[in-house]
Amino acid sequence: AGGFGEGAGAGPASGSGAGTGAAGTGTGGGGASSPIQQIPEDVKILHRLVKKPGETAQEYTHRLSMIGQATELITDLLSRSRYNKFLVEAMQNIYPEAKQIDFSTVTDIYIDYTASGIHKDCFELILKNEKGNMFTLSLAAAVKRAKNYKTGFEEGEEERQLQEKILGPKGIMPKLGVRFDYKENILSPAVPIQIEEFIYGETAGALHRKGALTDEMKYKIAVAWAESYKLAGNKGSGDFHLGNSIINKEGNAIIIDIGKVRQMDTTSFLEKLVFNFDAAAKNDNSFVFEAIRDVLGMDVLKKALRDINAGVANVYEAKYARLADNLSAYIRKQASQEAVSSS
């Protein structure tokens, strides 16, 4: 829908959110520059209520319900100064072009629902300014409430830094906007909210259930997790499953929720990746082996085979024996191909 085309921008977002006290503080990416702007509190909040092509009555009703839920959150964020600044900061951190927007000129915000998960409400905001220019932003607001976790986000400061500084900029995870503590009212407990880039696409789990998860997609997903492991300094996710990986509209694999990371040796990481892919792998783990080879190197696979064989010899488990057989066959095949190419 094009940018606002305004000359005055806010500059890079501040690294720390404004506002302290009962509601806590926010953190996000970017360097320090001009103060974070605010969207006028009297901005009109409008809904995209038109039924979409191919949308069923049930889907339409659900979308309207989720638009209402997103509207409540956005309206509350805009009505309070420190939350208003966090929302603007998130937009600027996620979308570089948003730093050129004069948010003080916004008159209308159109809200449309895109998707939701267990902990995330994902919505599209279309901002309209005094001159009628429009700018579209797609955001995912992750609200981790006490009923799901005892204390806020499962992932902590280390994971936030990993997403913000490394994985987000490299396109392995969504870009992080801002994370802050939010109180619905003075009596309610503070809950953390993380606003990040929304990725259009389908989860690996949804694609698998439809029979549409191809070998190439599985390889790309395995590569994304292997790269995250390597970039995190040999720290693997504690929350890997097909629902936390998405294939975007361009066909690339994105990790949408990394969970808690912990130090993990390469063999344990390979095992975790293989066993979590079991349902989709159909006893063919070669795409995982290829991803490990391409990202971490062939020596990691050879070490894993030695480690797994040693473990199987001590404590027999069918799935480990099967993994050892598959890995051994893959290594032999690679050695044979190398011998042919070098002769």
Side-chain angles (χ1 to χ4, degrees), residues 7 10 40 47 70 90 111 136 148 163 217 224 228 242 292 313 323 328:
H47 299 153
I111 298 179
T136 302
N148 297 317
Q163 180 177 359
M217 291 176 181
S228 75
L242 294 179
I292 295 293
L323 172 57
S328 178

Side-chain angles (χ1 to χ4, degrees), residues 169-241:
K170 287 185 175 293
I172 298 172
M173 286 191 73
K175 294 175 185 174
L176 177 63
V178 69
R179 182 188 291 186
F180 59 94
D181 290 335
Y182 168 72
K183 286 173 70 73
E184 293 182 9
N185 57 64
I186 195 169
L187 298 177
S188 64
V191 296
I193 288 182
Q194 177 166 304
I195 298 179
E196 61 188 36
E197 175 188 19
F198 174 66
I199 305 297
Y200 287 94
E202 288 192 80
T203 66
L207 290 166
H208 171 59
R209 288 191 292 274
K210 295 193 304 184
L213 188 63
T214 66
D215 289 343
E216 182 183 8
M217 291 176 181
K218 289 185 281 188
Y219 167 77
K220 287 181 176 180
I221 293 168
V223 165
W225 285 96
E227 287 180 339
S228 75
Y229 171 80
K230 181 179 180 179
L231 291 167
N234 286 18
K235 289 185 177 180
S237 169
D239 198 23
F240 171 75
H241 57 75

Side-chain angles (χ1 to χ4, degrees), residues 8-17 28-37 85 88-101 103 177:
S14 167
S16 297
S33 186
S34 304
I36 298 297
Q37 294 181 350
K85 291 178 180 178
V88 172
E89 183 179 1
M91 295 177 190
Q92 292 179 330
N93 287 339
I94 294 169
Y95 296 96
E97 57 269 36
K99 294 174 184 176
Q100 305 305 316
I101 294 176
F103 284 92

Side-chain angles (χ1 to χ4, degrees), residues 33-316:
S33 186
S34 304
I36 298 297
Q37 294 181 350
Q38 285 189 244
I39 297 172
E41 293 182 13
D42 61 352
V43 66
K44 293 179 184 176
I45 306 293
L46 305 168
H47 299 153
R48 302 287 299 280
L49 301 179
V50 179
K51 192 174 180 181
K52 296 181 178 181
E55 191 174 42
T56 66
Q58 184 177 4
E59 290 169 340
Y60 179 59
T61 301
H62 175 66
R63 183 164 62 87
L64 294 187
S65 172
M66 297 307 296
I67 287 176
Q69 185 171 309
T71 301
E72 288 183 17
L73 176 62
I74 296 298
T75 301
D76 196 38
L77 294 180
L78 292 174
S79 68
R80 290 191 266 178
S81 176
R82 59 176 164 267
Y83 296 149
N84 190 311
K85 291 178 180 178
F86 289 151
L87 184 60
V88 172
E89 183 179 1
M91 295 177 190
Q92 292 179 330
N93 287 339
I94 294 169
Y95 296 96
E97 57 269 36
K99 294 174 184 176
Q100 305 305 316
I101 294 176
D102 182 356
F103 284 92
S104 67
T105 67
V106 174
T107 58
D108 304 301
I109 296 181
Y110 296 85
I111 298 179
D112 195 3
Y113 160 76
T114 54
S116 67
I118 297 175
H119 308 301
K120 292 186 181 181
D121 296 323
C122 306
F123 44 86
E124 185 177 75
L125 301 181
I126 299 179
L127 310 181
K128 181 180 178 182
N129 74 349
E130 296 167 345
K131 296 181 179 180
N133 297 321
M134 305 181 81
F135 189 90
T136 302
L137 303 162
S138 297
L139 304 173
V143 184
K144 303 289 181 99
R145 300 189 181 278
K147 66 180 182 181
N148 297 317
Y149 291 105
K150 292 182 179 178
T151 54
F153 284 89
E154 180 186 14
E155 53 271 38
E157 180 62 15
E158 181 179 8
E159 289 76 19
R160 187 190 71 79
Q161 290 280 347
L162 185 62
Q163 180 177 359
E164 177 190 335
K165 304 295 185 183
I166 302 174
L167 301 183
K170 287 185 175 293
I172 298 172
M173 286 191 73
K175 294 175 185 174
L176 177 63
V178 69
R179 182 188 291 186
F180 59 94
D181 290 335
Y182 168 72
K183 286 173 70 73
E184 293 182 9
N185 57 64
I186 195 169
L187 298 177
S188 64
V191 296
I193 288 182
Q194 177 166 304
I195 298 179
E196 61 188 36
E197 175 188 19
F198 174 66
I199 305 297
Y200 287 94
E202 288 192 80
T203 66
L207 290 166
H208 171 59
R209 288 191 292 274
K210 295 193 304 184
L213 188 63
T214 66
D215 289 343
E216 182 183 8
M217 291 176 181
K218 289 185 281 188
Y219 167 77
K220 287 181 176 180
I221 293 168
V223 165
W225 285 96
E227 287 180 339
S228 75
Y229 171 80
K230 181 179 180 179
L231 291 167
N234 286 18
K235 289 185 177 180
S237 169
D239 198 23
F240 171 75
H241 57 75
L242 294 179
N244 278 344
S245 306
I246 197 167
I247 299 296
N248 67 10
K249 292 191 298 183
E250 292 74 33
N252 299 318
I254 310 290
I255 299 169
I256 55 175
D257 191 344
I258 199 168
K260 186 73 175 174
V261 298
R262 59 184 175 83
Q263 203 70 44
M264 190 181 296
D265 65 64
T266 53
T267 298
S268 297
F269 175 72
L270 181 146
E271 292 172 352
K272 187 175 183 63
L273 206 53
V274 166
F275 296 145
N276 278 283
F277 258 120
D278 252 1
K282 298 179 180 177
N283 200 33
D284 179 7
N285 311 117
S286 58
F287 64 91
V288 174
F289 302 152
E290 287 171 2
I292 295 293
R293 178 200 65 193
D294 293 345
V295 177
L296 302 177
M298 195 67 187
D299 287 344
V300 168
L301 295 179
K302 294 176 180 177
K303 176 183 179 298
L305 181 59
R306 293 193 298 271
D307 293 343
I308 295 166
N309 278 330
V312 170
N314 294 324
V315 181
Y316 178 78

